[in-house]
Structure formats: structure tokens, C-alpha cells
Amino acid sequence: MKKDWKRHIAYEVLVILVMLTLLMYLCRLWPIIFLLIIGIFITALRLLFLSPKRVEVVEPLPLPALPEPKEPTEKDVRDIAYSVILRRITELVTASYPEARWVWEAPNARQLIELGEDVFILLNRAGGYRRAHVVIQNLQVVTIECNCAPAKPNESEEDDTDTNEPQEENFDLVAFEWADAHIIELNKRCNEAIGEGMTEIILTADELPVKESWPAICKELEKNGLDDVKCIPQGIKINLTQ
């Protein structure tokens, strides 16, 4: 920086001397012009001496080392396999019944799959409420086998009912079977949530059967000891402050 400053001063002096030389030439002051020419020569040598002799190359900073790719763990592999199983079940159910919804019959379905045991799902809007067996081999869904035919309406009840009026679907069976299959898991989740200081838990639509069955499920959960349960747009909310 100091050398650059000196070089700048020498350059300014050289410019001034050249301008004075031109001015003295117009005035025909030859002795002064001679002295100015000597000063210009000395200043030019000084500027040449102060000029940089070499260009310094600035080396770029080394890039930080990228972290080595992490080897997938056994848990990662199981998580991926389980997500693929869920997606495959949804694809098979949707292919047969586009409007159907499904949930695991057992709350520990993932553990049963890892142990190689049979697992079942509960279907709704699949031509009637059904229980289906999910055939899994080597953590791959082979097929889905329905274990029962759709429930047929009682013919005598049909005769007494006006066919012009729409009939509301009864979701009591859906709610009872779902609550019976998940109440142990829900109690465990509630206890864990209370231990973490949470005041509520929400059962999302992905965990529940069709939306029309939510009020019936709320009633069944209240019968099983969950006092404050109500439907919300996202699913079912269980209040833990009671």
C-alpha cells in the first residue's frame, strides 16, 4: 500500500512538471524549461523504479471438504420398505375401488410386517365395509385378498323404506371395529403426549376411515374412556386437559 501511494505521488508530480514545461514554453522561459525537463526525467525514473516488477497471484481459498455420503442404516431400509408398502396398498385399493379408504386393522401392523406375520386392513366405500388380507412377501405387497363380501341390506327393511328418500349409511360398525383395533395405541399416544406436556393430539384423516364415520368414532372413543373427543376439519381432536 505504501509503495502504491509513492507511485501515485510520483505520477502526479510528473503530470505537474509536464504542464509547467508547456506553460514555460509559451512564455519562452528557457532556463526554467531546462530545469523542468531535468525534473521530468528524474520523476520518470522514479516512477519506473516504483512500478511493480511482478504480478502476485492470489491463490483461491481451499473449498471445504464435502461430507461423505452416509451409509443407509437398517432402520432407513425398513422405513423405505414400509413407505413403499403403504403406497402399494393404496394403489391396489384405488385400482379396485377408486373412492375407498383403508386403515390398518392392528395398531402394530408395522411390527407384524417385520416379523413376517399376516396383516389386515379395514376398507370403507369398497362396495360395503370389508376386511382384507394384505399378502406381503419379502417386504413387497403381492396382492390384497378380501375376506368377506359386502354387507347386504335387509330386504324387509328395504320394503318398509321409501325408495325415493336417500338412506344414511350406518357407520357404527366401522367406528366400533376401528376403535377396538386402535384404542390401545391411542391410550399409549395420549400418555406419551401428556408426559411431553401436550394438551391435545389430533388424529388426521390419513389415520381414519371415511369422514362421515368420524362422529361415530368419537362416540366409540368416549365409550372407551377418552372423555373430550370431537371432530375438526383435519380429523378428530382428543383433549388431554380433562
Side-chain angles (χ1 to χ4, degrees):
M1 294 296 296
K2 186 176 181 180
K3 193 172 184 180
D4 292 340
W5 181 78
K6 290 181 177 180
R7 185 165 58 250
H8 177 72
I9 294 298
Y11 176 78
E12 295 291 338
V13 171
L14 180 61
V15 172
I16 294 173
L17 290 176
V18 171
M19 295 178 64
L20 288 174
T21 301
L22 294 176
L23 181 61
M24 293 302 103
Y25 175 76
L26 296 176
C27 298
R28 298 296 191 272
L29 298 176
W30 303 111
I32 298 178
I33 292 175
F34 179 74
L35 294 176
L36 290 173
I37 291 175
I38 295 176
I40 291 173
F41 179 74
I42 294 174
T43 305
L45 291 177
R46 179 63 176 172
L47 185 61
L48 181 64
F49 175 76
L50 293 174
S51 299
K53 297 181 181 180
R54 64 184 181 87
V55 177
E56 296 182 359
V57 179
V58 179
E59 297 182 358
L61 296 176
L63 296 175
L66 296 176
E68 296 182 358
K70 184 180 178 181
E71 290 286 339
T73 63
E74 183 179 353
K75 182 180 182 301
D76 295 334
V77 175
R78 291 201 303 267
D79 291 342
I80 294 174
Y82 185 66
S83 63
V84 173
I85 289 173
L86 295 179
R87 184 168 62 252
R88 181 57 179 164
I89 292 174
T90 302
E91 290 175 355
L92 292 176
V93 171
T94 304
S96 301
Y97 307 102
E99 297 182 358
R101 299 291 298 273
W102 69 272
V103 294
W104 290 117
E105 180 186 51
N108 61 336
R110 179 168 178 171
Q111 289 76 10
L112 296 176
I113 292 173
E114 294 175 356
L115 294 174
E117 299 184 11
D118 292 339
V119 289
F120 298 85
I121 60 175
L122 301 177
L123 294 170
N124 189 260
R125 286 189 177 179
Y129 197 73
R130 293 170 178 260
R131 178 175 182 265
H133 176 214
V134 182
V135 181
I136 299 177
Q137 296 179 359
N138 298 325
L139 296 180
Q140 293 183 349
V141 179
V142 178
T143 185
I144 297 178
E145 300 174 347
C146 292
N147 293 343
C148 60
K152 295 183 179 180
N154 191 317
E155 294 180 358
S156 59
E157 294 180 358
E158 288 183 353
D159 296 338
D160 297 335
T161 305
D162 187 357
T163 56
N164 295 327
E165 295 181 1
Q167 299 298 312
E168 293 185 1
E169 186 174 355
N170 191 327
F171 292 97
D172 291 343
L173 177 60
V174 178
F176 174 79
E177 293 185 353
W178 190 92
D180 183 65
H182 294 81
I183 190 61
I184 297 177
E185 178 193 11
L186 289 177
N187 286 330
K188 181 179 179 182
R189 287 175 60 180
C190 290
N191 292 332
E192 292 176 352
I194 293 173
E196 295 175 0
M198 299 173 60
T199 59
E200 63 182 32
I201 62 173
I202 295 177
L203 307 179
T204 61
D206 294 336
E207 304 176 71
L208 299 168
V210 65
K211 188 173 183 179
E212 289 78 1
S213 67
W214 295 356
I217 292 177
C218 290
K219 294 179 181 178
E220 287 296 330
L221 293 179
E222 290 175 351
K223 293 178 182 178
N224 284 274
L226 300 177
D227 297 331
D228 192 354
V229 184
K230 65 179 180 179
C231 297
I232 59 175
Q234 298 85 355
I236 294 178
K237 182 173 74 172
I238 302 176
N239 189 3
L240 305 177
T241 58
Q242 296 293 329

